[in-house]
Amino acid sequence: MTVTGKLRAAIVGSTGYGGVELIRLLQNHPDIEITSVISSSSAGAPIEEGFPHLTGIVQRNLDGVDAAEIAGRADVVFTATPSGVSAKLVPQLLEAGLKVVDLSGDFRLKDGAEYEQWYKHPAPSDSYLQQAVYGLCEVFGERTAGADFISNPGCYSTASLLGLIPALQAGWIKHDSIIIDAKSGVSGAGRGTSLMVHYSEINENFKAYKVNKHQHIPEIEQTLTEISGEKVTVTFTTHLVPMTRGIMSTMYAGMNGGYNEQDFVNLYRKYYAGRPFVRVRDAGVLPATKEVSGSNYCDIGFATDARTGRVTIVSVIDNIVKGAAGQAIQNLNLMMGWEETRGLGYTPVYP
Amino acid sequence: MTVTGKLRAAIVGSTGYGGVELIRLLQNHPDIEITSVISSSSAGAPIEEGFPHLTGIVQRNLDGVDAAEIAGRADVVFTATPSGVSAKLVPQLLEAGLKVVDLSGDFRLKDGAEYEQWYKHPAPSDSYLQQAVYGLCEVFGERTAGADFISNPGCYSTASLLGLIPALQAGWIKHDSIIIDAKSGVSGAGRGTSLMVHYSEINENFKAYKVNKHQHIPEIEQTLTEISGEKVTVTFTTHLVPMTRGIMSTMYAGMNGGYNEQDFVNLYRKYYAGRPFVRVRDAGVLPATKEVSGSNYCDIGFATDARTGRVTIVSVIDNIVKGAAGQAIQNLNLMMGWEETRGLGYTPVYP
Amino acid sequence: MTVTGKLRAAIVGSTGYGGVELIRLLQNHPDIEITSVISSSSAGAPIEEGFPHLTGIVQRNLDGVDAAEIAGRADVVFTATPSGVSAKLVPQLLEAGLKVVDLSGDFRLKDGAEYEQWYKHPAPSDSYLQQAVYGLCEVFGERTAGADFISNPGCYSTASLLGLIPALQAGWIKHDSIIIDAKSGVSGAGRGTSLMVHYSEINENFKAYKVNKHQHIPEIEQTLTEISGEKVTVTFTTHLVPMTRGIMSTMYAGMNGGYNEQDFVNLYRKYYAGRPFVRVRDAGVLPATKEVSGSNYCDIGFATDARTGRVTIVSVIDNIVKGAAGQAIQNLNLMMGWEETRGLGYTPVYP
Amino acid sequence: MTVTGKLRAAIVGSTGYGGVELIRLLQNHPDIEITSVISSSSAGAPIEEGFPHLTGIVQRNLDGVDAAEIAGRADVVFTATPSGVSAKLVPQLLEAGLKVVDLSGDFRLKDGAEYEQWYKHPAPSDSYLQQAVYGLCEVFGERTAGADFISNPGCYSTASLLGLIPALQAGWIKHDSIIIDAKSGVSGAGRGTSLMVHYSEINENFKAYKVNKHQHIPEIEQTLTEISGEKVTVTFTTHLVPMTRGIMSTMYAGMNGGYNEQDFVNLYRKYYAGRPFVRVRDAGVLPATKEVSGSNYCDIGFATDARTGRVTIVSVIDNIVKGAAGQAIQNLNLMMGWEETRGLGYTPVYP
């Protein structure tokens, strides 16, 4: 029962970085109230014990994961869980009548076989895969309106797709020439401990990983293929940058004509007109990750090269905001018929 | 003329880090509207040119510094200027009938001679030094109410004073035993270029500077002397940490009795009751700088040592928020008779 | 007059990062003695004043730039000067009978017109451009033997060329398909102060710069064209990583056949047989920049993708060692007929 | 059997940061040959698998821990093991006739009861505690000469003791006034994974830990008490700096007279005369951690304050070199009667 009149939200996976970012961002949402923070691993403990930055802000103990209990406390659930966990939990939440925004990768692919190939565990049942709306807001926002179940795009996917789709849809770039060289801050790897996220191994280091093997590849290709109408296969490299937040996708494609940077700026500004979270930079200006840090913006810039006939597209986001928690709230806003910017008016934190 | 009914604010020094942080924080203040962003060095240029993170958020050209023009556009002025500049500008602004919150150090000391000794240029005229209210909100908040002219405390001073005052006032620590070992992120040095803030010189490096010579020493001593009733002289070391934001003051003092950590927690919680921006941590828990990053909190923890009879007090803030722009807005809230938290409900950005 | 029997070396530009790295590395060279450290800007001052890490190690005042004086003190000169300066100085040094290893970019291009297009100042006279040997040791080492004048390759160029040449020479990759996505630590920008190297602007940030405009492009294309026999034009992006040392070039090319990773490993190990500073990693293993930090190694790994027919080649170096001072000493070793590893037996500093 | 004539060394704990640093430094030691790299956890695997920076440099599989086997292969053993492990292993190695330099803390305290209080596990047998020479080279070097068993000082202890001893021995500082505010890079916490060393938790963060509880306290007090002749108890705070390498101890003490900075410089230069690894900086100059990074130096500077009668002493080391592997080799040099600098001529890596 809601006494505030606000939409009641539960967050599953509240002790991961996506979960605590949802908490941070929702503190200032005028129409949403967090009524349950949920963690399978730490149920019963005060959330500020593991996250002292929330001291005095969220004075709440973590709840366990129980679909029926959640349904009694919340109207909508954000599932910021590891892949494999959502596959099982989300159907229960939907059956219980809850709206769901799923931040795991479990419902992003329409093809269960492809899911199993890239994620290495069994796919959710096909009906849920088909029901899930892939919530890339600025591209598929109209599908989100009124939906009950959103699959929130991956962080790399969000940066990459927003940077490629207008040009691909316009036929300006060759669909079989796309190379994505992506770089991410370490928070994208989550809060789990491993040598891969050990400070002394990451600091003053730059490394590539999962080249052509990252699980965000199939959702990128699925979406680009839908946009293009032709089967798109991308070369995709991910790198780890010694910083906490931020993703840059530097993307290369052969052009189908002699377009220059201003042409691209015009095309993209037209495509993203009325969508304030995508900022297309002036010709000759490329965005840096810090310029969107802590905010829900995706900034895009271009460099065309007449010598090679290729365009270089640079797209940046904060991986935990636009790449996760921020876009999830933006999706919920769209589901509810609210302005997509509601509660998301965060200016980037700079420096 | 204000059509919004909001308080109109101008920011002098909008192209420094304190200035752009004021812009960030004021975006979400319900009762304040920025009507002029001012920079002597870049007047005429769009602010987003030098600070692309503001693209599409603040679409405004920088104004020049002219007290009369400012008075036509604003009700209150934040002067985030280098020391020496405010000394000249602030009297003009006050004469023009504006409220002023000064973030420079020019009006923090009551004794002009002392100012000249530490700041190495001529002091402002004494009447302004006496008029200025030293705006350490949680200690002198009642002086701020209704004031027209606030001198905003220094970043090191804020962290250090909030950590020392309750114990000193209670007589629990020896006034002649205080040692402050302070550490700051690099943003405290401002946006000016120099070898001291060169990335390759700072990264993977830790250095001490201005030992016993920092210009925040006299305001700390002036305030502690007022609180204690006895002349207080501190040992004060500043260090540069390879990070952008954050200050920690680790403070040492001999105790006048056998107090333990819980005693200190109780004392400080009583002192800061009703002041939400100071978070006194549970006994045995020490705060880290990232736990307040991007927010207006000052978090404080204690370690007492029966072996030596000393207490170690750890106090952390975000130097640009509670140590500058955030406390300035908090002061303005108090000046206006608003709740001190208004427009400052920022959860720390973590991680 | 040399009493030690060692080769006497002078370093012009001793107060830049390339210069001090030469000093560090040469300390342990058994056959070279530094007899003059030279700086136009700081002549007369002790070098340890600006570089306190050299305290007690190099107790020497900086000399001014005078070709005749240098000739009296040294047998060989390393010119670690800004581009434009070497263009004028090197001919004087060569005339004075000195051997020269030039670390600026002034003598890397054979075509003066191309130099002027990319460097934006007048080219050195053509005879010196032709005389200079482009000292990419593992590729053109035999040209270096006995030479008097070496132009040391650029940092980006070294990482990129060593990673591309074996495959291009073998005809395994399409010469018109090469894309180089390069990332560098900040030390590559030198010790000069600017907003671009300001700690607070770089830390927790990742940015692209000079896309398709970097002055290392023409030397890469000149060399690849020589190797390939066909005119090679590359797409080349440079990024700044929030770290001090290290370069990674992630390179993409279409393959002319169905080669797999082991094929590439075999090809490259054969090409670099007997050249210990290039370490070709096992199939499936990609190098990270920290794994060569402080050392003269260039490590290379591969990922082939049958889906797209492209190979991704990852090449890493320490930009100040293999990308500057280390390769310069390696070149001098080759000039003198010594083993190329002499005095360069530095194990990477890890972590 | 040694064919090279070199001293044969084994390293137990070769997969920790202390162990790999011993490997790095010993590569260039003219009189020592590594004949076994030992790891209980990874025995059988090539060391370059876990430490790719050693590719092609140390082509050796890890051996298991077996005192008899070690005795067959080595003359001296470095035990870079966790505390508690050395306590059991070292006696076996000594019994087997090996020389031992122990880098764990197990043999630093002479009083077993005190060991158990701070380390929380059973102390080694008393005879070994008494036999072990506390190898603070510049202070107790003469005890090391000819010894068979050295206990290598802790990293915090080395920086702190070298900075305090000359003044304390001279009676210039009050023995009951010593406060040590120490800061360390993250490598000091070792390679084990935990939230405490998670990149996203450490980066852009500064935290205090183990205040007055760090296990290096008793060895500092034991040594200062021996030097002073009076029971010394210190206040000791440790902080974690977002960097990999480096320790700074900022130390405070009341002075017994009106000494100035030059007095301290003179006193310390006299004390450390002939000991090249301690560099006493000129009056007014304080060292930074990067100025000793990668090297075996300990740099010390002073700030005296006539206002408070206190001196601030700043001492920096590279925690893995002078604070661990470097000092261990320095100790071995002394044990063997060699020059203490042998094989340790590493210039700090800067920047």
Side-chain angles (χ1 to χ4, degrees), chain D residues 312-350:
Chain D
T312 303
I313 304 173
V314 173
S315 173
V316 299
I317 60 169
D318 181 320
N319 57 304
I320 323 186
V321 187
K322 185 61 172 171
Q327 185 158 246
I329 295 169
Q330 188 182 357
N331 270 311
L332 180 58
N333 285 341
L334 292 169
M335 289 162 83
M336 301 301 296
W338 300 334
E339 269 194 276
E340 67 181 347
T341 55
R342 194 172 296 188
L344 291 171
Y346 289 94
T347 296
V349 179
Y350 194 95

Side-chain angles (χ1 to χ4, degrees), chain B residues 117-118 176-183 200-213 217 221 231 233-237 239 241-246 248 250-253 261 286-291 293 303-305 307-308 310 312 314 316 350-351, chain D residues 117-118 176-183 200-213 217 221 231 233-237 239 241-246 248 250-253 261 286-291 293 303-305 307-308 310 312 314 316 350-351:
Chain B
Q117 174 192 336
W118 290 89
D176 60 354
S177 73
I178 297 170
I179 293 171
I180 301 172
D181 188 289
K183 301 92 176 171
S200 303
E201 304 283 320
I202 288 289
N203 180 43
E204 192 67 6
N205 198 0
F206 188 86
K207 59 172 69 172
Y209 70 103
K210 285 195 186 178
V211 177
N212 294 322
K213 290 180 186 153
I217 293 176
E221 295 184 346
K231 173 72 186 150
T233 310
V234 299
T235 292
F236 185 77
T237 304
H239 302 81
V241 185
M243 61 184 188
T244 302
R245 287 176 180 245
M248 178 182 286
T250 311
M251 297 173 282
Y252 303 93
E261 287 157 17
L286 297 174
T289 62
K290 202 180 186 70
E291 293 162 8
S293 187
T304 53
D305 187 14
R307 299 191 327 143
T308 59
R310 294 192 192 102
T312 304
V314 173
V316 298
Y350 194 95
Chain D
Q117 174 193 336
W118 290 89
D176 60 355
S177 72
I178 299 170
I179 292 171
I180 302 172
D181 189 290
K183 300 90 175 171
S200 302
E201 305 283 320
I202 289 289
N203 181 43
E204 191 67 7
N205 198 1
F206 187 84
K207 59 172 69 173
Y209 70 103
K210 284 196 187 177
V211 178
N212 295 322
K213 290 180 185 154
I217 293 177
E221 294 185 346
K231 172 71 186 152
T233 310
V234 299
T235 292
F236 185 76
T237 303
H239 302 79
V241 185
M243 62 184 188
T244 302
R245 286 174 181 244
M248 177 183 285
T250 311
M251 296 173 282
Y252 303 94
E261 286 157 18
L286 297 175
T289 61
K290 201 180 186 69
E291 293 162 8
S293 188
T304 54
D305 188 15
R307 299 190 328 140
T308 58
R310 294 193 191 101
T312 303
V314 173
V316 299
Y350 194 95

Side-chain angles (χ1 to χ4, degrees), chain B residues 141-174:
Chain B
E142 76 288 351
R143 298 180 188 171
T144 305
D148 286 331
F149 176 24
I150 298 292
S151 174
N152 211 51
C155 50
Y156 282 121
S157 316
T158 298
S160 303
L161 290 170
L162 292 178
L164 288 168
I165 283 173
L168 188 68
Q169 188 174 73
W172 287 20
I173 55 173
K174 300 183 203 297

